[in-house]
Amino acid sequence: MRFQSFPLAIVIGAGFLSYIQLVVTAAAAAAAAVALPVQAGVRTSSSRVPVARGDDGGGGGGGGGGGGSPVEGGYHNLCHYYPTIGEIEGQIHMTGQCSSNQNGSLQNTWMDLGPCYANINGSLFPVTDGKGDFHTTCKRCRIPIGIDDAKKLPPKWMRCTCERFAGDKEGKETEVDLDQHIHVFEDKLGCPGAEGFIA
């Protein structure tokens, strides 16, 4: 009797081991499905100093504004001077001497930064549809240098004072790294959804 029940014991044991393996596999899959939270960050800075253009290249050309390239960032390696920022007729303009090709001729180019960023509770965030409007709720936007740059930020950042809510008269000083979002496409400064112009 014992000898005849031996195969049955083997089958039961194998089934139990398969069940354990199934439970362990399910637990591992559930653990892998847990996503870590991602936090958005905001910072800032910029300046006008002669710099050597970096090692990343692009296309070439010229012309006016428009939808343009979906590529984000990288302008600072393609401009001879760090571009400057100024307010003109309610728009925040960025101007510089840039080329899509590091070996190409530099072009005077400018763009409206307004469509490239949105003000959310006093912080600036990039947008890629060209429908940003931070310029309507932010003021005193500049590339901080000298005594204005107490934080010693790299000369690629923009600093603005932005409203945290409608009617906020005091505002919040916020900063954003322009090189993460602003690019040079066909020798023009721009961002996804909003290209600049050849001056």
Side-chain angles (χ1 to χ4, degrees):
M1 290 293 292
R2 275 190 207 167
F3 191 80
Q4 289 178 346
S5 65
F6 185 70
L8 179 61
I10 291 175
V11 171
I12 292 172
F16 180 73
L17 288 175
S18 297
Y19 173 75
I20 294 297
Q21 184 178 12
L22 179 64
V23 170
V24 170
T25 302
V34 176
L36 295 175
V38 177
Q39 284 187 321
V42 180
R43 276 208 85 168
T44 206
S45 177
S46 273
S47 132
R48 181 179 175 79
V49 196
V51 292
R53 288 184 280 166
D55 296 327
D56 323 323
S69 170
V71 174
E72 288 195 80
Y75 83 87
H76 129 271
N77 281 336
L78 297 170
C79 297
H80 182 55
Y81 289 93
Y82 289 119
T84 58
I85 292 174
E87 186 172 334
I88 301 176
E89 298 179 355
Q91 296 181 335
I92 300 172
H93 283 197
M94 183 175 181
T95 61
Q97 293 182 328
C98 308
S99 173
S100 300
N101 188 325
Q102 290 185 326
N103 298 318
S105 299
L106 293 167
Q107 300 286 339
N108 292 319
T109 174
W110 67 273
M111 66 174 294
D112 177 11
L113 284 171
C116 301
Y117 294 92
N119 171 18
I120 301 176
N121 300 325
S123 295
L124 293 175
F125 293 89
V127 298
T128 57
D129 59 2
K131 295 182 179 179
D133 60 355
F134 82 98
H135 62 288
T136 63
T137 54
C138 295
K139 57 187 177 181
R140 293 196 294 275
C141 294
R142 72 271 185 202
I143 291 173
I145 55 174
I147 60 174
D148 188 36
D149 189 18
K151 294 183 181 179
K152 305 298 181 188
L153 295 166
K156 303 176 295 180
W157 295 73
M158 176 175 69
R159 177 177 293 153
C160 297
T161 301
C162 299
E163 294 181 8
R164 295 161 292 184
F165 48 84
D168 179 13
K169 295 182 178 179
E170 181 180 349
K172 169 189 172 185
E173 192 169 80
T174 187
E175 302 156 344
V176 65
D177 183 355
L178 296 171
D179 196 46
Q180 296 296 313
H181 192 51
I182 305 302
H183 62 226
V184 176
F185 176 67
E186 294 183 343
D187 297 341
K188 303 183 296 288
L189 288 164
C191 68
E195 293 305 324
F197 301 84
I198 297 296

